[in-house]
Amino acid sequence: VGLVAPHIDPWRGARCYGEAYGALAASLPDDADTFILLGTSHAPMREPFALCRKAFATPLGPMEADFDAIDEIATACDFDPYADQFNHKREHSLEFQAVFLRHMLSQASANGAQNGARAKRARIIPILAGLGEHQQSGKSPATSKTINRFVDALRGVIDKKRAIVIAGADLAHVGPRFGDPRPFDEKERAKLDATDRDSLARAAQVDAEAFWEHVSNDLDTRRVCGLAPVYSLLRAIDASAQGEVRHYEQTVDPEEGSIVSHAAVGFYAR
């Protein structure tokens, strides 16, 4: 019913992408052909979310947008969901998901006519998640009627179309590249590992508020860029689901030692 995948560059995140989309391929419902993509917006946003009514090009062919579902979500909003749509133009967090999703569906289509038909009709709903005001204050987005209306609209689409929710989200960003005075030593890396896994454990329990509180408490130092899309995924999927952390790793820059951590987490209906 849901997936957290990285959005780090594919050559560094190869195993994590494989674990994520391998898990999705192994458990994708037969009738699932709609995918809600929630991604980090690395550029500032005026509104909490940004929709996009465009197909995403990939080397394997386009991932078409589900215009009807996108319009349904937009109609439910009490803010302009297209105010920040140009953020999509330069944002990789959803582009990489479209590529791997298209690859997964193309592989499935090679295994039978039924899967081939699904690959052709598959549609995405691309959404960038900012939640900038709440990330700055640490206040839970659940206190916002505007955000709750948007999440309710996502749930409506999920229920109607049995859509799968995919969050393109990395975790910590630490080291000289991100403002720290020096690279992390082994002890600091072990502490980061434990802290990231604590966050992931809360996500695996589909406890959106616990995840938000845990990550927002050290957002200035751990710099988890995937807070907004993962939180939004946890709010959107059924609370009875169960998550499974399939993979976690820290990628270390070989030149100056900065670290980006990321994970693959599958969410399954119980």
Side-chain angles (χ1 to χ4, degrees):
V1 299
L3 180 72
V4 172
H7 60 236
I8 196 170
D9 46 279
W11 45 95
R12 287 192 293 170
R15 179 178 174 186
C16 201
Y17 280 112
E19 294 284 355
Y21 282 93
L24 182 58
S27 59
L28 190 66
D30 291 338
D31 58 349
D33 55 15
T34 304
F35 302 88
I36 297 174
L37 305 185
L38 290 161
T40 298
S41 178
H42 290 90
M45 288 173 54
R46 289 167 288 177
E47 301 293 353
F49 299 97
L51 296 173
C52 179
R53 295 183 87 256
K54 284 182 175 290
F56 278 50
T58 84
L60 299 171
M63 286 299 306
E64 301 291 345
D66 188 328
F67 298 124
D68 291 341
I70 293 168
D71 291 344
E72 181 178 330
I73 295 168
T75 300
C77 292
D78 59 5
F79 64 94
D80 180 2
Y82 299 109
D84 302 289
Q85 65 179 320
F86 281 100
N87 283 34
H88 282 272
K89 183 175 178 62
R90 298 178 300 276
E91 182 53 64
H92 62 275
S93 62
L94 297 186
E95 289 177 341
F96 286 153
Q97 311 316 315
V99 171
F100 282 99
L101 184 58
R102 187 73 203 175
H103 171 69
M104 184 198 74
L105 292 170
S106 297
Q107 292 294 107
S109 68
N111 296 326
Q114 182 178 357
N115 286 333
R118 175 166 65 178
K120 291 180 180 179
R121 70 174 184 267
R123 296 291 183 269
I124 58 172
I125 302 169
I127 305 169
L128 290 179
L131 304 181
E133 177 183 341
H134 292 82
Q135 292 200 56
Q136 291 174 9
S137 68
K139 190 175 182 181
S140 170
T143 61
S144 166
K145 292 182 180 179
T146 292
I147 292 171
N148 291 339
R149 282 172 63 98
F150 189 88
V151 171
D152 286 344
L154 289 186
R155 289 174 177 162
V157 169
I158 292 168
D159 290 343
K160 184 183 299 184
K161 294 180 172 277
R162 293 198 65 191
I164 307 297
V165 185
I166 300 173
D170 289 338
L171 298 173
H173 295 65
V174 296
R177 179 182 297 178
F178 306 109
D180 292 318
R182 55 174 177 77
F184 275 26
D185 59 26
E186 289 302 316
K187 184 177 180 180
E188 289 168 320
R189 286 190 61 185
K191 182 179 179 181
L192 176 63
D193 182 297
T195 304
D196 280 347
R197 290 182 187 276
D198 281 347
S199 296
L200 292 171
R202 288 162 170 79
Q205 293 300 316
V206 196
D207 192 334
E209 299 311 313
F211 176 79
W212 179 272
E213 181 179 5
H214 192 260
V215 175
S216 63
N217 278 342
D218 65 359
L219 196 58
D220 289 340
T221 55
R222 197 163 35 128
R223 307 178 191 93
V224 174
C225 76
L227 173 57
V230 175
Y231 172 82
S232 301
L233 176 149
L234 297 175
R235 288 284 308 276
I237 65 175
D238 195 309
S240 67
Q242 178 64 50
E244 179 186 354
V245 179
R246 309 278 303 202
H247 182 68
Y248 167 83
E249 68 178 285
Q250 299 174 3
T251 60
V252 184
D253 188 291
E255 295 182 0
E256 43 81 13
S258 292
I259 295 171
V260 177
S261 61
H262 43 89
V265 187
F267 294 88
Y268 305 88
R270 288 204 251 192

